[in-house]
Amino acid sequence: MSAEREVWREALGVVLATSAYGVSFGALAVASGLDVWQSCVLSLLMFTGGSQFAFVGVFAAGGVSALPSAIASATLLGVRNVAYGMRMSPIVGTTPARRVAAAHFTIDESTAVAISQNDPRLRQVGFWVTGIGIFVGWNITTLIGALVGDVLGDPKTWGLDAAAAAAFLALLWPRLKERQAIAVGVAAAVVAASLTPFIMPGLPVLLAAVVAIVVGWFNWWGSADDPTADAGEEGR
């Protein structure tokens, strides 16, 4: 299998796993009080799953009066995409048009697939295939979930809540070969999991990112000849 076909295979696997969970969002959005078209517009324009779930979760709990809190929660979770944008800017292309077009597709999964490649051309393939593929798939499954959510029942019974996380973990796992990479992953995961029950949605992700940056920046568990140290420098 050629390197490009391998990237396509990896990207499409992530597309299928992530898009499937859009059914859950569509069903939850309608259950929270949005109509079908409002749910679909949210996926078209916001297009960042974590922020969308945070928005409808807070909205469902408080209705229209909770709208400012719902927007704030969604915004906090979306801030991470700014960091992704800085990392992906030299990858997606040098022209302003390509960067503007790429902004809407810069999400967790497209960034993960892109930076998991070593060749610059393959990074572009991974980014665009994953980003555009998930955008199309996510919006289709949002519509399906909004229309037939009651028929499908709880999406968790189908395992859709774990599909996207499993795909993301599959991308991350091969990179956890050195102590430094493992330390960054464990530290961020512990902070996010510990704080999630106590503070508003969005903040645990941002604080976990800060911890990951601190651990990675100081290279506490790496060494001068540690391959992950070079990867960290490239990421910065």
Side-chain angles (χ1 to χ4, degrees):
M1 182 179 294
S2 67
E4 184 165 336
R5 286 187 63 187
E6 177 65 22
V7 175
W8 271 83
R9 186 181 69 84
E10 183 177 288
L12 291 177
V14 174
V15 168
L16 291 175
T18 305
S19 297
Y21 199 32
V23 174
S24 179
F25 171 74
L28 181 62
V30 171
S32 71
L34 301 179
D35 60 31
V36 172
W37 294 113
Q38 287 171 330
S39 304
C40 291
V41 167
L42 201 59
S43 279
L44 282 168
L45 300 182
M46 186 177 289
F47 184 51
T48 173
S51 295
Q52 292 178 228
F53 278 105
F55 179 90
V56 299
V58 176
F59 183 76
V64 176
S65 62
L67 193 57
S69 297
I71 294 173
S73 297
T75 301
L76 281 172
L77 274 172
V79 167
R80 71 192 189 281
N81 289 354
V82 176
Y84 295 159
M86 292 188 291
R87 178 66 181 90
M88 297 306 299
S89 180
I91 293 176
V92 299
T94 57
T95 65
R98 286 178 67 88
R99 290 182 175 179
V100 170
H104 201 53
F105 305 121
T106 303
I107 55 176
D108 301 303
E109 293 81 5
S110 61
T111 302
V113 173
I115 64 175
S116 68
Q117 314 305 319
N118 295 320
D119 182 84
R121 184 181 63 84
L122 296 180
R123 286 183 171 184
Q124 288 197 14
V125 172
F127 174 82
W128 290 107
V129 172
T130 307
I132 295 175
I134 292 178
F135 179 77
V136 173
W138 182 264
N139 281 281
I140 291 174
T141 54
T142 293
L143 176 60
I144 293 172
L147 290 174
V148 300
D150 291 339
V151 176
L152 293 174
D154 186 356
K156 292 182 179 180
T157 62
W158 299 85
L160 297 180
D161 57 323
F168 202 82
L169 182 60
L171 292 172
L172 175 66
W173 191 260
R175 305 177 72 86
L176 299 180
K177 296 179 179 179
E178 304 293 337
R179 288 178 299 172
Q180 179 69 9
I182 295 172
V184 170
V186 170
V190 168
V191 169
S194 301
L195 296 178
T196 295
F198 305 108
I199 59 180
M200 68 182 299
L203 283 179
V205 174
L206 297 181
L207 294 175
V210 171
V211 171
I213 291 171
V214 170
V215 175
W217 183 270
F218 289 102
N219 196 28
W220 285 327
W221 287 277
S223 60
D225 58 351
D226 188 343
T228 56
D230 295 334
E233 290 298 326
E234 182 185 355
R236 293 195 294 272

